[in-house]
Amino acid sequence: MNIGIVCYPSYGGSGVVASELARQLGRRGHRVHVFSYETPFRLSHFEANVFFHEVEAPDYPLFRFPPYLLALSSKIVEVAREADLQVIHAHYAVPHTAAAYLAKQMLAGERRLPVLTTMHGTDITLVGNDPQFYEITRFSLEASDGVTAVSRSLAEESAETFRLRRLPRVIPNFVDAEEYRPRNNPALRARFARPDEKILLHISNMRPVKRVEDVIRIFARVNGQAPCRLLLAGDGPERLAASHLAEALGLQERVCFLGRQDNVAEIFPLADLFLLPSAKESFGLVALEAMACQVPVIASDTGGLPEVIEKGVTGYLAPVGDVETMAGYAISLLTDEREYAVMARQARERAVNRFRADPIIDAYEAYYGEILNTP
Ligand code: GMT
């Protein structure tokens, strides 16, 4: 198939999922054309069958805001003709589905170009933060030939928020279990912790929804009971507040901010526990990546996280903001070697059995086929 994928390139889950999907589809022999304003960071290596199209929005003095949506629609039309695109897969309704819909209409007289939209969760948050996007998001979803959501929780919430006529199909996120796997690297580990110390890890874009200060608060409690270190990878608006809190609690020597890291598959296996105390998470791809590396996760009981983390089996869940309970789970797990070993193994098993790439790529392929064959 010739498939177009539209996504955001930045450091965030939706761009990662779109890029990994492009890579996997390319390896299956599909020709995949990716559209974005810069190369998505997970597509920085050469992949046969994956072609990147940079969309540049003109910045003429007349335009107060560069018309990215129009530039994207035009680029989709050009590539659809040149590469004979059969389907467009938009990750995020705004503005990607709107642009794909426009391209579809522009091509209507000469070819069919069905549009599949995948919702990632922050699409809804966007509307929550700025209601002026409500109508365009609702229209984009209803006008799509197919809509998927990355968790059941997100499918239900989006159907209710946007009063959708059809429930989005749930196609969960996936992990490349070959790349995200346990690795033994004592030399690297020794750079962050002594052998008797545990490592707690958090990775995110450090936006307010991630509650990074809760990560520090959990760590402070755990460190009081079991000697440990905290690694934080990623960067964002909450980093400074988290760093100040660590300093105020006298933890600066034990907390290490690694900054933005692209190769996180090497960082996860250094950790004994992964912390994700977010206020909301439609899926929590980082939790899945941690589990695939055999690292149990302690997270908030919210959104799609309970669909990823099986409570008491692959990690623990607690109400949002309940750092006391989260720390309690962390302490009991880190101080019980037998329980820890079982949970770490189960985390990897669940990631591989339930979320490995192959069956999930099959589900996307099948959906492309369905919308292609539905007039
Ligand atoms: O979590 C982020 O800040 C990034 C965001 C995005 O839109 O790229 O992630 C969302 O999509 C990911 C991939 O489907 C999900 O794993 C994340 O849970 C989701 N983030 C939120 O719902 C806050």
Side-chain angles (χ1 to χ4, degrees), residues 12-14 92 120 122 173 205 207 210 280-285:
S14 62
Y92 249 92
H120 286 273
T122 33
N173 289 333
N205 52 18
R207 289 183 298 118
K210 303 296 174 183
K280 190 81 191 260
E281 210 61 71
S282 68
F283 183 89
L285 184 62

